[in-house]
Amino acid sequence: MLPLEDLRAKLLAQRRELFRQAAQTEEDLLWLETDVEPEAMERGRTETMVRLLDRLDEREKLEIEAIDLALTRIETGSYGRCQGCGNDIPVARLQALPSATTCLACGVAREALKK
Ligand SMILES: [Zn+2]
């Protein structure tokens, strides 16, 4: 069994950290203090979130997307399965990179394809 609660907490912390870099006003910081649950994200993005996303660069936006996707996969029960080969992603890899969607071998293969 995967330590899902632990991984979920890590994902939410990473997500908050990314948004924190973009936060500039007190209002933004207050928004960060309130836990944004995946269910709430499903219902649509708040104005503050859209504004913060706007200040992030492409790489950071991709990271947020990967984190959101991982949180959704936890909800739907498909988390931890490699999207490349369908095998379980090793727990150690998920703990190091909770938003990983592939095992290491498939991840390396995908990176190689991008180049
Ligand atoms: Zn794989």
Side-chain angles (χ1 to χ4, degrees):
M1 268 306 278
L2 288 169
L4 282 182
E5 274 313 306
D6 183 46
L7 291 164
R8 191 167 178 274
K10 269 189 198 176
L11 285 162
L12 288 171
Q14 282 186 356
R15 195 168 183 280
R16 202 170 307 140
E17 200 42 55
L18 281 164
F19 277 120
R20 198 183 303 271
Q21 293 168 13
Q24 287 174 347
T25 65
E26 206 150 313
E27 190 196 335
D28 292 346
L29 290 167
L30 264 175
W31 179 81
L32 286 167
E33 293 309 313
T34 47
D35 263 318
V36 185
E37 294 295 318
E39 301 86 73
M41 296 188 284
E42 293 294 313
R43 283 200 293 271
R45 305 189 152 176
T46 65
E47 231 173 90
T48 308
M49 187 172 166
V50 171
R51 191 150 37 91
L52 290 182
L53 272 173
D54 235 34
R55 293 200 203 112
L56 295 170
D57 65 29
E58 278 311 307
R59 191 187 55 84
E60 290 163 337
K61 273 185 210 167
L62 285 176
E63 269 181 60
I64 300 252
E65 263 172 45
I67 290 169
D68 283 356
L69 185 69
L71 288 167
T72 307
R73 295 181 85 211
I74 288 178
E75 298 301 313
T76 57
S78 60
Y79 182 77
R81 207 170 306 132
C82 173
Q83 289 187 328
C85 61
N87 291 328
D88 287 342
I89 302 172
V91 175
R93 174 161 165 83
L94 290 172
Q95 257 153 358
L97 188 68
S99 60
T101 55
T102 60
C103 67
L104 188 57
C106 292
V108 170
R110 280 192 185 188
E111 281 303 313
L113 277 177
K114 273 189 222 162
K115 277 165 204 158

